[in-house]
Amino acid sequence: MFARFSCIAVIALLASGCANTSPTLGSKNISYGDTKAVETVTNEFGSTDLQMIAESMTRSLAQSGILQGRPVVQVYDVKNKTSEYIDTREITTSIKTQLMKTGVARFASDNTAMQSQVDQLKLQNQSGLYKKSTVAKTGNMIAAKYRIEGSISSIVKRSSDYKDVFYKFSLQLIDVESGLAEWMDEKEIRKTTER
C-alpha cells in the first residue's frame, strides 16, 4: 500500500513539475495587451480606428436590410486618400470578415484575388495534371450582384500647440447591373494631440 501511494505521489510531483517548465524568451519590457483596448500612442491612424470603422460599417450595412437572401458581393480595396501610409487592405479584410460572420452575404473573389482564381482554374483545366472527376469546371463562377467600394481621407491641422487629425471613412454598396448605389455610410474620427 505504501509503495502504491509513493508511486502515485512521485507521478503527481513529476506531472506538476512538468506543467510550468516552458521558458519565456525575449525582453522583460514586452507584454501582451488587450487587442480591444483604446490605442492612443499617436494621433496617426491606428488599430482602434480600424476596429471602429469595421464595426460601424458592418453593423450599418447588416442592419440596412439591403442584403436579403445572402447575395454575392465583390469587395474592392479601400482607397487611401490621406497623406499617411495606411494599410487599407486590412480595413477591407476586417469589413469583409465581419460581414461574413454575420451571414448576410457571400463573397466573390475580390479584385486583387481574381487573378489567382483564374490561374487556379487554368491550372486544373489545361495542365493535364489533375484527375478529370476532381477538376473545377470553368464557366461556373458566381457573378457578384453588388460591389463594395470605400475610401479614407484626412484633414490635418497644426499649430504650435496642437495637431488635429480628422479622418473620414466612406463606404458604399453598388448594384453591379444597374450601377445604382443601394447603401452608403460614413464614419468620422478626430484625434487631437497637445504638444
Side-chain angles (χ1 to χ4, degrees):
M1 177 78 173
F2 180 73
R4 179 183 286 166
F5 179 73
S6 296
C7 185
I8 292 172
V10 168
I11 291 171
L13 281 172
L14 287 173
S16 67
C18 293
N20 292 326
T21 59
S22 298
T24 302
L25 300 174
S27 171
K28 293 183 180 183
N29 295 331
I30 298 172
S31 63
Y32 282 98
D34 180 1
T35 59
K36 293 290 187 181
V38 175
E39 171 262 318
T40 55
V41 177
T42 69
N43 62 0
E44 295 170 335
F45 191 85
S47 61
T48 301
D49 306 320
L50 185 148
Q51 290 168 346
M52 285 193 308
I53 286 170
E55 288 168 9
S56 174
M57 293 295 116
T58 302
R59 187 180 328 103
S60 176
L61 181 53
Q63 293 174 354
S64 71
I66 291 294
L67 301 175
Q68 295 295 322
R70 295 185 66 228
V72 176
V73 178
Q74 188 171 33
V75 181
Y76 284 68
D77 284 344
V78 170
K79 294 177 184 153
N80 182 1
K81 297 180 177 180
T82 70
S83 58
E84 66 184 277
Y85 171 77
I86 297 174
D87 186 352
T88 57
R89 184 83 178 139
E90 286 305 313
I91 299 172
T92 305
T93 301
S94 291
I95 291 170
K96 187 175 175 179
T97 300
Q98 289 187 30
L99 280 171
M100 181 72 83
K101 286 180 180 180
T102 66
V104 297
R106 295 171 295 156
F107 294 92
S109 293
D110 59 30
N111 57 331
T112 56
M114 182 55 81
Q115 190 58 52
S116 296
Q117 175 70 15
V118 171
D119 291 346
Q120 182 58 218
L121 283 171
K122 283 181 182 177
L123 180 66
Q124 287 188 24
N125 284 278
Q126 297 172 4
S127 68
L129 297 171
Y130 297 94
K131 188 175 182 179
K132 290 282 186 205
S133 62
T134 64
V135 170
K137 309 293 183 275
T138 58
N140 290 324
M141 288 176 56
I142 306 298
K145 177 168 178 48
Y146 299 106
R147 75 177 186 274
I148 293 178
E149 297 178 352
S151 65
I152 184 166
S153 58
S154 65
I155 300 171
V156 180
K157 298 287 185 179
R158 290 181 178 88
S159 71
S160 58
D161 298 329
Y162 292 95
K163 179 181 178 187
D164 181 80
V165 183
F166 173 82
Y167 293 101
K168 181 177 178 183
F169 182 81
S170 302
L171 198 67
Q172 61 182 335
L173 181 78
I174 300 166
D175 184 297
V176 173
E177 186 174 349
S178 69
L180 297 174
E182 296 288 348
W183 168 89
M184 298 175 92
D185 205 350
E186 298 176 338
K187 174 69 178 171
E188 298 174 346
I189 299 170
R190 167 165 267 125
K191 299 170 92 171
T192 304
T193 303
E194 187 173 355
R195 295 180 182 191

